Amino acid sequence: MIDAIDYQLIAAVQAGLPIAARPYEVIGEKLAIAEQEVIERLARLKSQGLIKRWGVVVKHRALGYQANAMIVMNVPDERVGEIGALISLQPCVNLCYQRPRQGEVWPYSLYCMIHGKSREVVLEQWAELRHACQLTDYAYEVLFSRRCFKQRGAIYARNTAVREKSRAEHRQHSPVEFQNQSGFGLPAV
């Protein structure tokens, strides 16, 4: 059960912590509560599962990881869970998930993301991953991104300032596009 302050606290942190030596103190000042109460409430919300994850959004391009590829694979439904779990264990994979196929137009069922400092590095990692996970029998596409996508967590609590910031970021990073190895661009689904 959350109260009004919890709700305001979620709204205050969902777009990120303030850049400050004591970010919880800054949030507490805005909500008229003590820094320690901010920390305790966030810990309680996390332990209750109301905040699923507390982490950092890494701006990988700023760190030199300029080549980012979404690998899409047509894996038989009965093997998606097993292979997806195996792919998720690979150190070069940032995320892996299943999506429904879209008929013959888009027959891919399993997706994973690989970041690298160059396309060559990403393709080498993909070749190693294909061999290690025995994916050589399945159709796939390697879709390199052309643009940096918006990187943030989900927005749940209504807050006009946060909503406007989110809309501005969305406009800045749209449209989302992928590019396959042949250079053919595909619109995001």
Side-chain angles (χ1 to χ4, degrees), residues 8-171:
Q8 293 171 1
L9 182 56
I10 292 169
V13 300
Q14 66 187 355
L17 294 177
I19 306 297
R22 301 187 71 115
Y24 301 113
E25 183 179 77
V26 172
I27 293 168
E29 289 171 1
K30 289 180 181 175
L31 301 179
I33 60 176
E35 176 186 33
Q36 187 60 36
E37 185 176 349
V38 169
I39 294 168
E40 290 171 4
R41 282 178 177 266
L42 288 171
R44 180 178 44 78
L45 292 168
K46 177 102 174 49
S47 70
Q48 292 174 334
L50 296 172
I51 293 177
K52 180 177 167 186
R53 192 172 68 90
W54 191 257
V56 174
V57 175
V58 176
K59 305 287 186 186
H60 56 272
R61 287 185 183 241
L63 295 174
Y65 291 86
Q66 300 293 318
N68 312 294
M70 174 68 72
I71 315 291
V72 296
M73 297 159 270
N74 185 1
V75 174
D77 292 341
E78 63 274 9
R79 300 214 52 215
V80 166
E82 165 201 349
I83 292 175
L86 186 59
I87 289 173
S88 297
L89 295 174
Q90 305 305 310
C92 66
V93 172
N94 295 87
L95 62 107
C96 181
Y97 56 93
Q98 178 183 12
R99 280 194 171 171
R101 293 180 176 83
Q102 301 299 314
E104 294 178 18
V105 174
W106 193 253
Y108 305 109
S109 57
L110 193 59
Y111 297 66
C112 74
M113 190 78 186
I114 299 175
H115 297 291
K117 294 192 174 185
S118 70
R119 286 185 176 212
E120 292 75 25
V121 168
V122 169
L123 292 172
E124 287 172 15
Q125 291 173 320
W126 167 237
E128 291 172 13
L129 188 146
R130 278 186 79 207
H131 177 73
C133 296
Q134 300 177 351
L135 302 170
T136 54
D137 293 339
Y138 306 127
Y140 69 92
E141 292 279 344
V142 178
L143 308 170
F144 282 98
S145 61
R146 293 180 181 172
R147 301 175 60 179
C148 186
F149 306 106
K150 178 172 58 176
Q151 296 174 298
R152 64 157 178 80
I155 302 294
Y156 297 103
R158 293 188 181 269
N159 177 318
T160 303
V162 170
R163 193 170 44 242
E164 290 305 315
K165 180 180 176 186
S166 175
R167 286 181 181 156
E169 288 176 355
H170 179 73
R171 283 190 296 270

